Amino acid sequence: MKITEHLKKSNGKTLFSFEIIPPQKGTSIQELYDNIDPLMEFNPPFIDVTTSREEYVYIDRDGLLDRKITRMRPGTVGICAAIKHKYEVDTVPHVLCGGFTKEETEYLLVDCHYLGIENVMALRGDAMSHQKYFEPTKGGNEFASDLVVQIKNLNKGKYLHEVIEATNKSDFCIGVAGYPEKHIEAPSLESDLKRLKQKVELGADYVVTQMFFENKKYFEFVKKAREFGIDVPIIPGIKPIAVKRHLQLLPQVFKIDLPEDLIAEVEKCKNNKEVRQLGVEWCIEQSKELLAAGVPVLHYYSMGKSDNIKAIASQVF
Ligand code: FAD
């Protein structure tokens, strides 16, 4: 079922969902199941599965370093199919511009359609680790908005090189990313919102936000988005802080700020066990306030480990 249909069916009740990352190559999918199992009691209507950019690895060949490009966490669509069929839940593969030609994207979308996957998140992706700026892949999409256009075209039977009067067209529901603290490359929040509006006008059906640790950032973002005429559901994405190192890592990777009182509390913690507990308590408070405000879904970034998400969900749902 489409995410938009799940939202309609919920009749305004806040739903629970979460995002997982594929395991590293060579690892069993069982570890993923072990982390999903405890969360199924909260009836997620959908689970997101991220896609990682490719990266360079250096292979020692008789003393000479050979640079090869590889993906450490492939398998997004396969994992989506496996989870969908094991748990009878909708899955949302993240589809990236970066690292994929438009043809590869088309084949991936065709696979999703055959697998009964009805939702996709359309994302640009970040720069590769050795790049300063995002560089579009040769023959690939440049912005998430271009990817939205490609997906919408496919929904109409317009493939890249031919129009097919398909008897069984795809009808993907499309999610896109929104940034309460603005995307790092956007010159202003307003210009970022204009780009978000463009994604919606081109066919995005809903927005999922980057993580935030102060709800007022989400509420202000939604208010501004509505003033800009963005009228699709805006799903808050949240994450419990889990280790002390997150104080530096989260701002660095996700380009977000942490509130002073959270920083002070984390700094007081004696070890990461205490930080993990603090993260759970902070996230429970955030979740309860968002729930009271009637958000459509509470979408948790699980980063593969679910004990803390379960602790939060059991206090909130
Ligand atoms: P876009 O919407 O293309 O925007 C990128 C930047 O370009 C913005 O600054 C925007 O303002 C600007 N812009 C947009 N259109 C134009 C235009 N036409 N001309 C000029 N400027 C323009 N990354 C992954 O690698 N894998 C994932 O699975 C993943 N999942 C994510 C899930 C969520 C919910 C979120 C919020 C992010 C996720 N990301 C993921 C990170 C995302 O790929 C990065 O934040 C990326 O830098 C931007 O992606 P986007 O889709 O928002 O890009």
Side-chain angles (χ1 to χ4, degrees):
M1 202 194 280
K2 291 180 180 186
I3 305 303
T4 43
E5 288 166 351
H6 282 297
L7 298 185
K8 251 185 227 148
K9 219 178 107 195
S10 73
N11 270 328
K13 184 173 173 274
T14 302
L15 303 169
F16 164 82
S17 74
F18 59 96
E19 175 189 286
I20 55 168
I21 51 176
Q24 288 234 357
K25 257 189 320 213
T27 333
S28 154
I29 197 170
Q30 188 56 45
E31 196 190 322
L32 209 53
Y33 293 153
D34 292 344
N35 278 289
I36 294 173
D37 286 345
L39 299 180
M40 293 316 287
E41 67 176 276
F42 305 106
N43 300 317
F46 63 94
I47 299 171
D48 274 53
V49 183
T50 62
T51 293
S52 305
R53 287 267 352 225
E54 70 282 25
E55 54 192 278
Y56 281 116
V57 286
Y58 295 86
I59 300 161
D60 191 345
R61 290 199 202 283
D62 302 327
L64 287 175
L65 286 183
D66 198 1
R67 192 170 80 156
K68 292 280 175 209
I69 206 155
T70 188
R71 253 171 233 282
M72 305 310 273
R73 296 173 184 272
T76 299
V77 171
I79 288 168
C80 280
I83 295 173
K84 180 175 166 59
H85 293 290
K86 179 173 167 65
Y87 297 100
E88 294 183 352
V89 65
D90 281 301
T91 45
V92 187
H94 290 192
V95 182
L96 301 184
C97 302
F100 296 89
T101 64
K102 290 183 193 173
E103 277 79 8
E104 286 165 338
T105 299
E106 184 168 287
Y107 304 146
L108 183 147
L109 292 168
V110 169
D111 281 344
C112 289
H113 179 50
Y114 284 141
L115 289 164
I117 292 167
E118 294 176 76
N119 303 281
V120 289
M121 269 299 275
L123 299 148
R124 190 196 69 179
D126 282 319
M128 287 172 72
S129 51
H130 69 284
Q131 292 170 335
K132 204 161 170 32
Y133 304 105
F134 174 84
E135 288 172 24
T137 297
K138 196 162 176 264
N141 288 302
E142 186 173 2
F143 293 107
S145 50
D146 303 322
L147 182 52
V148 171
V149 170
Q150 184 178 2
I151 301 165
K152 284 304 272 188
N153 279 342
L154 203 76
N155 283 352
K156 293 180 205 143
K158 276 197 212 167
Y159 290 73
L160 286 173
H161 307 302
E162 60 268 89
V163 177
I164 300 177
E165 279 307 319
T167 47
N168 184 14
K169 281 184 199 147
S170 64
D171 187 19
F172 290 111
C173 171
I174 307 169
V176 289
Y179 301 84
E181 298 180 51
K182 127 178 151 51
H183 184 259
I184 182 76
E185 295 162 33
S188 70
L189 182 60
E190 282 65 26
S191 78
D192 208 21
L193 279 164
K194 272 188 212 153
R195 300 302 185 187
L196 180 58
K197 188 174 181 202
Q198 187 187 16
K199 291 193 273 192
V200 172
E201 283 171 347
L202 290 169
D205 298 288
Y206 69 100
V207 175
V208 182
T209 74
Q210 183 57 279
M211 65 183 72
F212 53 89
F213 289 87
E214 276 179 293
N215 289 343
K216 76 169 193 265
K217 290 187 175 160
Y218 167 80
F219 294 133
E220 282 166 12
F221 177 69
V222 174
K223 187 167 172 276
K224 279 212 172 111
R226 299 301 179 224
E227 285 164 9
F228 265 76
I230 297 166
D231 55 2
V232 296
I234 302 178
I235 297 174
I238 51 176
K239 175 190 156 46
I241 205 160
V243 289
K244 222 170 218 185
R245 184 106 180 76
H246 275 163
L247 288 187
Q248 289 78 40
L249 216 63
L250 299 179
Q252 193 190 346
V253 176
F254 300 105
K255 325 297 181 213
I256 50 157
D257 282 347
L258 298 177
E260 284 307 322
D261 38 354
L262 177 60
I263 299 170
E265 290 302 315
V266 172
E267 280 172 349
K268 272 191 238 154
C269 290
K270 290 193 220 67
N271 50 47
N272 279 336
K273 196 172 165 218
E274 284 187 16
V275 177
R276 204 165 177 85
Q277 181 54 31
L278 171 71
V280 166
E281 286 160 20
W282 186 277
C283 201
I284 289 173
E285 289 314 306
Q286 261 196 290
S287 303
K288 284 185 174 168
E289 193 186 13
L290 290 164
L291 190 84
V295 298
V297 183
L298 281 169
H299 185 69
Y300 294 93
Y301 296 115
S302 84
M303 305 292 187
K305 293 271 177 259
S306 64
D307 61 300
N308 51 357
I309 307 297
K310 183 178 164 85
I312 296 159
S314 53
Q315 293 296 312
V316 177
F317 289 91

